[in-house]
Every structure is written in C-alpha cells, then in structure tokens.
Amino acid sequence: MAAASASSSCVLHRLHDDTSSLLSSRGINHRSYSLSLISSRKIQSTSSLVQSSPNCLSNPLFIAPAEKKKSPFQTEAVRTLTGSLTKAEGFRFAIVVARFNEIVTKPLLEGALDTFKKYSVREEDIDVVWVPGSFEIGLVAQKLGKSGKYHSILCIGAVVRGDTTHYDAVANTAASGVLSAGLSSGVPCIFGVLTCEDMDQALNRAGGKAGNKGSEAALTAIEMASLFEHHLKD
Ligand SMILES: Nc1c(NC[C@H](O)[C@H](O)[C@H](O)CO)[nH]c(=O)[nH]c1=O
Ligand SMILES: CC(=O)[C@@H](O)COP(=O)(O)O
C-alpha cells in the first residue's frame, strides 16, 4: 500500500509538471489550472482513485478530487433515544392527586397504581400526595420534583365544567402548573388531569369505555423516567 501511494505520488507530481508545460505551450496561465500540490492526505485518497481508474491520469487536465471534509457535527448514523417500559424496577414515583371530584380521581389513581405494579414498580417506591383540587397540583409537584427523591411525578385531577368560567381558570392553571413544575425542577411531571365538559366524559375516562387516563399517564411517567435516567442524565 505504501509503495502504491509513493508511486501515485510521483505520478501526480509528474502529471503536475506535464500539465503545467502543456498549458504553458498553449498560452494558458497554468497557475489557475495547475494541480495544487495536494496534501499527503489527498494524495492517499487520489492514489486510491488512481489505483481504481488509472486511465484518469491520461487526461492532461485531471484534477485530483477535493476531499469533502466532514462537519464535526456530522455523524455516521442518526442516534435515537427512547425511554424503556421494561426496566421500571427501582424507579421512584410520586403521585399528586386532587380530592375534588374524588369519584373520578380515585379510579384514576387506582389505574395508575395498577399499571405501576404491572410494570414492576415496587410499592415502597411510590408516594401518593393528596391535594384539595387541581389548582394546587402544580406547586406540590414542583416541591416533590425539587426534592430529588423521584424519577417522575404523576399529576392526577378531574376538572369538570360547571355553570361559570371557573372551569377555564382551574383547567388552564392546572396544566400550566404541571408544566412549570417540570421545567423548574428538571424532573418529568406528567399531566394526568382530566378536563371535561361533564361528569359522564370524566367517568368514561376513569375506567369507563374510554379507558383509564390514570393508567396511560403512569406509562408516560415510566417512559420519561427511563429516558431521563438512561439518556438525559447530566
Ligand atoms: N372545580 C374544580 C376544582 N376547583 C377547586 C380548585 O382546584 C382549587 O382547589 C380551589 O380553587 C382552591 O384553590 N378543582 C378540581 O380539581 N376540579 C374541579 O372541577
Ligand atoms: C371547574 C370548576 O371550578 C367548576 O366545577 C365550578 O363549578 P361552577 O362553575 O358551577 O361554580
């Protein structure tokens, strides 16, 4: 390989001289056309080109291909990071649950606990914290997140529209409170708060024909805990 590279190197230098004299004989400013004496690195890449197609040298205006430099940010392949649902054992969770509309939030909580158990989360690794209503969830979630004791905080509530616009205040504040708790603590805070037009909608999502949103939120809590623990740790 070294011999081949050396011979290609002298070939290229000779080609450079021949090309320069050829262009000069035709009155062409050979400086603009001449082969720049390519770096050893390009000679090696060009030597591999010469070895694969030696007749390219017969072309008097053969110009060694410039080697494209790889961006330092360029990778050989796209990396994909996802959380796993299969390695939940050992993760610690807090569940913040609103007592308002307990007829709905209790089955949501039970659905979440059943899912944690199904995915091997130990009972001793789960803390349940009750708050009066969904409005109070955000502050408590932030406090728990900042404690550093949990891999993920699951927030459960049920906001059901009444006769006034109070629903909008509570529903929007609950959502922004959970988001803010996650952003400020750096711990995944999962929004498992139902926001429903009536009680039927809420009950259908707490173990009725629309499933159990508490159970679904627990799966999200496990996946996010895994993603952060295995891929996003500082
Ligand atoms: N109407 C609902 C409430 N309202 C209570 C508030 O969440 C809060 O506890 C009160 O405003 C005191 O700060 N909470 C729910 O979770 N769901 C509702 O439908
Ligand atoms: C979401 C609420 O706060 C709501 O249940 C309160 O009912 P109302 O709007 O009739 O006072």
Side-chain angles (χ1 to χ4, degrees), residues 69-85:
K69 289 193 183 310
K70 277 198 173 116
S71 151
F73 304 104
Q74 198 172 338
T75 61
E76 291 301 331
V78 174
R79 283 197 317 153
T80 301
L81 310 177
T82 54
S84 164
L85 291 177

Side-chain angles (χ1 to χ4, degrees), residues 100-101 158-171 196:
F100 203 107
N101 289 327
V159 186
V160 179
R161 191 181 294 277
D163 300 333
T164 70
T165 60
H166 194 238
Y167 165 90
D168 301 296
V170 174
C196 301

Side-chain angles (χ1 to χ4, degrees), residues 77-114:
V78 174
R79 283 197 317 153
T80 301
L81 310 177
T82 54
S84 164
L85 291 177
T86 57
K87 303 167 190 163
E89 190 167 358
F91 285 150
R92 293 183 307 281
F93 298 93
I95 304 177
V96 186
V97 53
R99 191 174 302 108
F100 203 107
N101 289 327
E102 190 176 350
I103 190 173
V104 178
T105 61
K106 196 153 188 247
L108 289 175
L109 172 63
E110 287 162 0
L113 293 173
D114 289 346

Side-chain angles (χ1 to χ4, degrees), residues 21 64 67 69 122 234:
S21 54
E67 195 162 298
K69 289 193 183 310
R122 297 186 297 246
D234 296 333

Side-chain angles (χ1 to χ4, degrees), residues 15-35 59-63:
L15 176 66
H16 174 273
D17 297 342
D18 293 349
T19 306
S20 301
S21 54
L22 172 71
L23 293 171
S24 299
S25 67
R26 296 181 183 174
I28 297 172
N29 174 3
H30 69 280
R31 295 242 177 268
S32 60
Y33 281 90
S34 67
L35 287 174
N59 177 343
L61 291 182
F62 167 68
I63 304 290

Side-chain angles (χ1 to χ4, degrees), residues 22-204:
L22 172 71
L23 293 171
S24 299
S25 67
R26 296 181 183 174
I28 297 172
N29 174 3
H30 69 280
R31 295 242 177 268
S32 60
Y33 281 90
S34 67
L35 287 174
S36 59
L37 286 185
I38 49 184
S39 68
S40 58
R41 189 161 169 267
K42 286 181 185 161
I43 284 178
Q44 284 158 8
S45 63
T46 306
S47 67
S48 60
L49 176 62
V50 166
Q51 284 164 7
S52 61
S53 51
N55 60 353
C56 73
L57 289 177
S58 61
N59 177 343
L61 291 182
F62 167 68
I63 304 290
E67 195 162 298
K68 283 186 179 172
K69 289 193 183 310
K70 277 198 173 116
S71 151
F73 304 104
Q74 198 172 338
T75 61
E76 291 301 331
V78 174
R79 283 197 317 153
T80 301
L81 310 177
T82 54
S84 164
L85 291 177
T86 57
K87 303 167 190 163
E89 190 167 358
F91 285 150
R92 293 183 307 281
F93 298 93
I95 304 177
V96 186
V97 53
R99 191 174 302 108
F100 203 107
N101 289 327
E102 190 176 350
I103 190 173
V104 178
T105 61
K106 196 153 188 247
L108 289 175
L109 172 63
E110 287 162 0
L113 293 173
D114 289 346
T115 298
F116 280 144
K117 184 177 180 180
K118 194 182 297 179
Y119 283 81
S120 309
V121 178
R122 297 186 297 246
E123 286 188 356
E124 58 264 31
D125 288 333
I126 304 169
D127 290 338
V128 177
V129 181
W130 287 89
V131 295
S134 296
F135 184 90
E136 284 75 35
I137 288 176
L139 177 61
V140 173
Q142 181 183 57
K143 186 75 175 176
L144 294 167
K146 287 186 172 180
S147 72
K149 295 177 185 173
Y150 306 101
H151 290 91
S152 186
I153 314 292
L154 175 52
C155 301
I156 288 176
V159 186
V160 179
R161 191 181 294 277
D163 300 333
T164 70
T165 60
H166 194 238
Y167 165 90
D168 301 296
V170 174
N172 293 330
T173 310
S176 56
V178 172
L179 174 63
S180 173
L183 294 174
S184 59
S185 67
V187 173
C189 290
I190 311 307
F191 189 66
V193 178
L194 299 183
T195 53
C196 301
E197 291 302 319
D198 53 49
M199 192 53 79
D200 281 347
Q201 281 187 358
L203 291 170
N204 281 339

